[in-house]
Amino acid sequence: MQLKYILRCAIIAIAFNSCNNSKSKAIIKKPNFIMIMTDDLGWYDVGFNGNDEILTPNLDLLAEEGVILDRFYAASAVCSPTRASCITGRNPLRMHIPYANDGHMLEDEITIPEILKGAGYATGHFGKWHLGTLTKDTLDANRGGRPEFDKEYSIPSMHGYDQYFCTESKVPTYDPMVYPSAFMEGESKRYGWKAIENGETSLAYGTAYWNGDDKMVSHNLKGDDSRVIMDRVIPFIENALDSSKQFYTSIWLHTPHLPVVSDSVHRNHYKKFALDKQLYYGTITAMDEQIGRLWKKLGDLGIQEETIIFFCSDNGPEIDTPGSANIFRGRKRSLYEGGVRVPAFVTWKTKLQGKKRSAFPMVTSDYLPTILDVLDIKYPDSRPIDGISILDALKNNEKKRESPIGFICTPQVSWVTQQYKLVGNSKKGNFELYDLESDPSEKQNCIDTHPEVANKLKKELLVWQSSVENSQKGLDYKN
């Protein structure tokens, strides 16, 4: 591990201890943090947002225990960039992660697990990584083991995680290490669907789970992928408690990313629907069961009330799947609302009143500053942070977001305020303006009727883009 990483962790630990020492000597119970993120789950693919076809009873229960976020955004319309924003609080373009399978988490970035590790937390990552390759020596997934991608090697332990169990990128949602054997007519393998009956498949999918530097996992990898992941999460939590440590864990589930695979047990919940819905709905319900299993375990361990759970999706639903963004325009890869507005909630039983919904605009970049606010820790650097603490908004003490949210997902860019959204092509312009408070479906482009608003937002967007470009030059790491 590089010296600069060790030194930064030491600085973070000193900053935390200094912050604690400045407070009263009363013992403050630090909460645990669980960050759950699904993959390509549409805004309308859960019961707590009104879907009455897909069974998500455990997610609905957890959401009801906390605050459901009606205007929560992924920082990008695709996977990897959003994940980068979750653990850094920064727009992913600042660290050269513009798209899926493009770029990697840089060691100079400051992450949530680094900060919390410095504060004495046990830290673990489980599921999908997609922020760099996990091996240089073995052919793996999209980039691993190929010399031209050696520079993309970036494993979770390089960024503050004590423990990890993850894949580089996507896997089938059932029997994750093998190719789906039965495909719908006309579908390619990349977008295939599998009807599991006897589990007789044997063709390797071409990726692996890793839990250390070149340590490939070879056991307990069959069946529902969400269960495979949760089988590793629960022992991590138990071990943290045995060590008298609070814990932080990111659980980045693959469901319902293609290839969508479901066993007959979960498909049978949806017999009246076509096969594509049986498979898609079935894998979401299987995932929901595992989240319920996690919640029950927290109850059995007596730590439900002192654990904060963040839940969201990494972007909108994939095209040509049964996933739904409901009334919102666009899907994955689009900066219209359906591509970035995702299902989300925050549950913290001791501090947040349940059975609430919030229309306050929030984004995945807000996770880091919110966690720092909860723990009263100062960010240990002066580099730009794009997120804000949403703690007051979650407590219903703040009604309006003053800091706009910027998005870049080539070729689109957008700038979102409490009321308006400016969206256009980054090279050609062609800007459109929408009043999201009165027109959340983005049906009426109002740029001609509100030119003064559009011009103001364009100027703000340009200033922000300039800041992002400065970050790309590495200027943030020279402090």
Side-chain angles (χ1 to χ4, degrees), residues 80 127 185 221 257 262 264 322 326 352 392:
S80 301
E185 185 177 354
L221 299 173
H257 193 293
S262 176
S264 58
N326 197 20
L352 299 180
D392 282 343

Side-chain angles (χ1 to χ4, degrees), residues 281-299:
Y281 292 4
T283 198
I284 292 174
T285 296
M287 174 186 71
D288 179 83
E289 289 176 0
Q290 294 305 313
I291 292 172
R293 174 187 171 199
L294 173 64
W295 184 239
K296 181 179 183 302
K297 173 57 69 171
L298 297 179

Side-chain angles (χ1 to χ4, degrees), residues 201-234:
T201 55
S202 59
L203 181 63
Y205 190 68
T207 193
Y209 269 105
W210 303 84
N211 64 1
D213 192 2
D214 273 325
K215 293 181 180 178
M216 184 188 297
V217 180
S218 60
H219 67 285
N220 187 14
L221 299 173
K222 294 184 179 180
D224 178 65
D225 180 62
S226 297
R227 194 271 307 155
V228 168
I229 294 168
M230 204 61 69
D231 278 0
R232 274 71 180 192
V233 174
I234 289 175

